[in-house]
Amino acid sequence: MVRTVVAGLDGSPESRAAVDWAAREARMRSVPLKIVHVHEPTPPRLAQAPFLAEETRQDWGREVPPQVADAVRREQPGLEVTIEGVEGRAPVVLTEQAGQDGLLVLGSRGLGGISGFIAGSVGLGVIAHAEHPVVLVRAGESAVEEHLDDPSGGRSDTTPYRPVVVGVDPEDTSDAVLEFAFESAARRSAPLRAVQGYSLPAFYEWAGSVEGEAFGRMRRQQSELLERKLAPWRAAHPRVEVIQESEPGKGSVLLADASRNASLVVVGHRLRRHTLGLRIGAVAHAVLHHAVAPVAVVPHP
C-alpha cells in the first residue's frame, strides 16, 4: 500500500511536471505528497564557476521548493505537502526517501522524444535499484492529456480518464504489476487495456503469412492465456472494464502505440542482479524510450 507519494524536484520543466502529476496522484490516493530536492556535492573546481556557485544552489534550495509547494497547495486544496532537502547522490537519496511504501515520481526529459538519453541517468538509476513503483513523467505533461476530449473535440480535465495500459506476459508478469494497474484504473474509473505481444514461429516469419487455421489456433491459445492470467484480477475488481489485446509482435512496440491514448502505462521490472549491477529489462527500457504517456515501472522479484 502506498502511504506517501514522493516527487523529485531539480528546477527543470520535467521535474515540475512530475510534481504536478504526483500531487494529483496523492490527492487521488488520499496520501501526503513529499517534494524532495537533492543537493549533490559539487567538485571544488566546478564550484568556482558562477553558474554552479554554491551560493546560487543554496538560494535555489531555499526559495524555489517552497514556492512550488505553495503552488501545489493552491492547486490541490487540502493536500498535505512537505519539502525535504537532502545532500547526496540523487538516485540513492530519492530511492531512500520513497522507502518501502512510497510511490516515487520523476521527470524525464526524453520520455516520448527523440533527443537525449531518454529517462536520464537519475531516472534509470532509480528504476534499476528501487524496490517500489517509479513513475516517469515527461516535460509538458498536463492533467488534460490524461482525459478524453470533450464532445466538441477540445481538451478538458473533467471528462473521463483515458485507459490505463498494462503490458502482460502470461508467463512472467507478476501480481504486483497487475495489482498496481487494476488499482490505478479503478481510482480513475478508467478502462484497463491489457496488452500482450507474442512471437510467431519461424515458419510464419519465413513465409511472410499470418493466415490459416494454424495461425488462428495460435491466436486463440495466446488469448486464452491472457484471459486466465487476468481472471483473478477481474474478479477482484468487477467494476473495472478490461480490454484484452493479444497480438503478434514486440510487446514494447504495442505498448508504445497504446500509450498514445492512455492516461498511464504500467510495465514490470524484474529485480535481477547482473554482473555489472542491476539492469532494466528490455521491454521496460524500450517503453521508456517511446511512450508518450506517464510510465509506471513496478518492480518484482
Side-chain angles (χ1 to χ4, degrees):
M1 178 181 294
V2 171
R3 300 186 185 278
T4 307
V5 176
V6 177
L9 178 68
D10 62 9
S12 65
E14 53 267 28
S15 75
R16 186 64 176 86
V19 169
D20 290 341
W21 191 96
R24 297 194 297 273
E25 185 71 13
R27 183 70 177 270
M28 194 182 303
R29 291 174 176 267
S30 299
V31 299
L33 169 67
K34 179 162 61 173
I35 300 172
V36 178
H37 60 99
V38 182
H39 176 77
E40 293 192 295
T42 304
R45 290 185 179 180
L46 292 180
Q48 303 304 315
F51 61 90
L52 285 174
E54 187 67 21
E55 295 81 0
T56 300
R57 299 183 65 172
Q58 290 177 353
D59 289 343
W60 183 93
R62 283 193 299 265
E63 298 174 4
V64 177
Q67 293 171 1
V68 171
D70 287 343
V72 169
R73 293 186 186 103
R74 290 193 297 271
E75 295 163 3
Q76 303 290 344
L79 178 64
E80 180 184 340
V81 182
T82 58
I83 308 168
E84 190 79 26
V86 186
E87 183 170 340
R89 293 184 58 250
V92 175
V93 169
L94 291 168
T95 301
E96 291 177 346
Q97 287 292 314
Q100 295 297 317
D101 55 3
L103 172 64
L104 180 58
V105 185
L106 302 175
S108 176
R109 176 170 56 89
L111 196 63
I114 59 175
S115 62
F117 185 54
I118 311 307
S121 59
V122 172
L124 292 175
V126 169
I127 291 171
H129 292 84
E131 297 183 3
H132 46 69
V134 179
V135 178
L136 291 186
V137 180
R138 60 187 170 84
E141 175 72 22
S142 64
V144 296
E145 295 181 78
E146 301 171 17
H147 294 259
L148 297 171
D149 293 343
D150 63 27
S152 67
R155 291 188 166 186
S156 170
D157 60 1
T158 61
T159 56
Y161 278 92
R162 296 181 186 273
V164 172
V165 173
V166 60
V168 182
D169 179 345
E171 297 181 354
D172 188 61
T173 300
S174 77
D175 287 346
V177 175
L178 293 176
E179 180 181 25
F180 188 96
F182 269 87
E183 290 184 353
S184 295
R187 287 191 188 91
R188 290 164 172 76
S189 298
L192 179 66
R193 187 175 173 186
V195 177
Q196 174 202 15
Y198 57 88
S199 300
L200 292 172
F203 169 78
Y204 291 110
E205 299 290 342
W206 174 79
S209 173
V210 291
E211 303 295 337
E213 182 179 345
F215 179 68
R217 185 164 54 250
M218 175 185 294
R219 290 192 68 123
R220 289 192 297 273
Q221 290 172 345
Q222 293 295 329
S223 182
E224 289 169 1
L225 288 173
L226 180 59
E227 176 75 32
R228 287 198 293 271
K229 184 70 175 180
L230 297 175
W233 297 99
R234 282 178 178 269
H237 297 272
R239 295 187 179 181
V240 174
E241 176 191 356
V242 179
I243 304 167
Q244 293 185 198
E245 296 184 10
S246 180
E247 299 290 342
K250 291 184 177 181
S252 57
V253 174
L254 298 174
L255 288 169
D257 184 63
S259 75
R260 300 179 186 281
N261 187 39
S263 59
L264 179 67
V265 178
V266 182
V267 295
H269 161 50
R270 185 175 292 279
L271 289 170
R272 290 174 175 168
R273 186 163 293 281
H274 190 270
T275 54
L276 299 178
L278 290 168
R279 290 293 182 268
I280 299 174
V283 172
H285 200 280
V287 171
L288 292 173
H289 273 70
H290 300 292
V292 296
V295 178
V297 182
V298 181
H300 59 94

